[in-house]
Amino acid sequence: MADSYFMQAFVYLAAAVIAVPIAKRLGLGSALGYLLAGLIIGPNLLSLVGSEGRDVMHFAEFGVVLMLFLVGLELQPSVLWRMRVPIIGLGGLQVVITTLVVALLSAFWGFEWQTALVIGLVFSMSSTAIVLQTLDEKSWLKTVAGQSSFSVLLFQDVAVIFMLAVIPFLAISDFMVCGQMMEQVSSTSESEPPQWLSALSVLGVVAVIVLAGRFLTRPVFRYIAKTRSCEIFIATALLLIVTITMAMHAVGLSPALGTFVAGVVMAESEFRHELEVSIEPFKGLLLGLFFIAVGASIDLGTLVSEPVLIVGLVLGLMALKLVILLILGRIFKLQFADNLMFSVLLAQGGEFAFLLVSFAVQSHALNFEIANQLILVVVLSMVFTPVAIIFFEKVIQPRLANTCREREDDEIAEDSNPVIIAGF
């Protein structure tokens, strides 16, 4: 058993070490390198990893949680308050319009309205992992396009909570056995707490996170810092994030959202930079592991059997989301260069689609055949996204007179950050 774990670790680490430097040297970016590495070592090609890929993906999703905690550390509450309009307006409209348009097209395709609506909800998500990783690598997070992309992603993380609450009501009778349905209803009514108690527990957990982040973490980290032990400081930081993740999961909220809130609360802490340095390596490794697991999960059998349908759905999804995002960016008065970057960044499916599809199958809102096709379309759209970003950066962006990098300097100039000049 131990040998198998070591072998799996060897395969994943070797794939990352070999593929990512090659991908970056070719200008493809680390995200695409991880995805291609996963595809190569996956069950469809070399078969070095197999059915354990799903378990690895669930573990590696902790990298997304760490990433949002680090993003929260970079955003002070005042900055987040200034972003409330794009978060609610731009993010909300993106989710609603994409869901409705995809649902209408799916209904026109012949799906029942419940299935069509679930497909719309699934495809309205974008990849937090790929987009934020790209923004971080290319230093685009401070740009107008980067801030707008982050606003939409943050709203999507919140919207997942409501989607999970809606999906059970979209169950289709043809997908379930009547006896199973009655058993589920009776067990649910007996085991689930009242709605007011669930809402109260959610508010309580969020309040505890905010209060603990403001009043408790500073003395704790001061005490830990006095030990002058770097590994204990790192362990304390990871313990904090794991505790928040467990608390948010217990009340049915997104762990990524909870850790983001904790990061925002601690953005003004004197330990912010030390936390960033301590957590960054874990975030990078786990995100890379997540991308490799996504690449390994690509079902080439379905792609080979229906290549025209799958590729057509992938390109159609990305083109549709690109058009919707361009229109929304125009409404919110983004300049053309920023609007185009913003639209290219978010024109894909997201990792939350895996959760929504799995939950929809369990709730009998989707059958397995449709679910497998949706997963494949989402994964391939995530694979195509780094290629689209490279095409935008190398071909389109140099041709634009008003580039997005010029906007980055404007954003930095507006920030009121203290400056210390040291030296001769």
Side-chain angles (χ1 to χ4, degrees), residues 12 34-45 47 49-58 61 288-303 310 350-351 353-354 371-383:
Y12 279 103
Y34 285 123
L35 289 168
L36 293 177
L39 177 62
I40 292 172
I41 68 175
N44 296 288
L45 293 179
S47 298
V49 296
S51 59
E52 78 281 353
R54 295 265 180 203
D55 298 330
V56 171
M57 185 181 296
H58 291 314
E61 285 173 355
L289 186 60
F290 173 78
F291 290 138
I292 292 177
V294 170
S297 67
I298 297 177
D299 185 5
L300 291 182
T302 304
L303 179 60
I310 299 300
E351 53 275 353
F354 306 145
N372 288 333
Q373 291 179 345
L374 294 182
I375 290 294
L376 183 58
V377 170
V378 169
V379 170
L380 289 178
S381 70
M382 294 171 69
V383 172

Side-chain angles (χ1 to χ4, degrees), residues 34-291:
Y34 285 123
L35 289 168
L36 293 177
L39 177 62
I40 292 172
I41 68 175
N44 296 288
L45 293 179
L46 298 182
S47 298
L48 298 178
V49 296
S51 59
E52 78 281 353
R54 295 265 180 203
D55 298 330
V56 171
M57 185 181 296
H58 291 314
F59 170 74
E61 285 173 355
F62 189 58
V64 182
V65 171
L66 293 178
M67 178 175 58
L68 280 175
F69 179 75
L70 292 176
V71 171
L73 285 176
E74 295 291 337
L75 290 175
Q76 296 178 344
S78 58
V79 176
L80 192 60
W81 176 252
R82 290 203 305 267
M83 294 171 59
R84 66 189 184 279
V85 173
I87 290 175
I88 299 175
L90 186 58
L93 286 175
Q94 184 274 327
V95 171
V96 171
I97 293 176
T98 304
T99 298
L100 292 178
V101 172
V102 173
L104 289 174
L105 291 175
S106 301
F108 178 77
W109 195 281
F111 291 104
E112 297 188 40
W113 71 268
Q114 297 98 323
T115 303
L117 186 56
V118 172
I119 295 174
L121 294 174
V122 170
F123 283 159
S124 67
M125 296 288 102
S126 300
S127 175
T128 301
I130 286 182
V131 175
L132 289 188
Q133 177 84 348
T134 302
L135 293 176
D136 181 57
E137 281 187 359
K138 301 183 181 298
S139 300
W140 287 351
L141 188 57
K142 293 289 187 180
T143 63
V144 172
Q147 294 288 292
S148 301
S149 301
F150 173 74
S151 300
V152 172
L153 293 171
L154 182 57
F155 185 89
Q156 289 178 0
D157 289 346
V158 178
V160 168
I161 303 166
F162 300 97
M163 293 179 184
L164 293 174
V166 168
I167 285 177
F169 296 99
L170 301 177
I172 299 178
S173 58
D174 293 341
F175 293 166
M176 66 178 71
V177 179
C178 184
Q180 293 179 342
M181 181 179 66
M182 294 300 295
E183 182 180 352
Q184 289 177 354
V185 170
S186 60
S187 62
T188 301
S189 61
E190 293 175 1
S191 60
E192 286 188 354
Q195 292 294 328
W196 65 268
L197 185 58
S198 299
L200 190 62
S201 62
V202 168
L203 294 176
V205 168
V206 174
V208 168
I209 291 175
V210 173
L211 294 176
R214 184 169 293 274
F215 299 110
L216 186 61
T217 54
R218 287 188 180 182
V220 170
F221 278 112
R222 284 186 189 135
Y223 173 77
I224 296 298
K226 289 179 181 178
T227 65
R228 298 185 180 275
S229 175
C230 181
E231 61 271 18
I232 297 300
F233 188 91
I234 296 174
T236 305
L238 293 176
L239 176 63
L240 171 67
I241 297 173
V242 170
T243 303
I244 295 172
T245 301
M246 293 174 60
M248 297 297 284
H249 182 74
V251 297
L253 292 180
S254 167
L257 177 62
T259 50
F260 171 76
V261 172
V264 171
V265 172
M266 298 182 63
E268 298 178 349
S269 169
E270 64 267 31
F271 297 102
R272 185 186 75 177
H273 298 294
E274 185 68 23
L275 286 169
E276 290 176 353
V277 173
S278 301
I279 296 174
E280 182 69 33
F282 296 94
K283 183 266 291 184
L285 280 175
L286 288 173
L287 269 184
L289 186 60
F290 173 78
F291 290 138

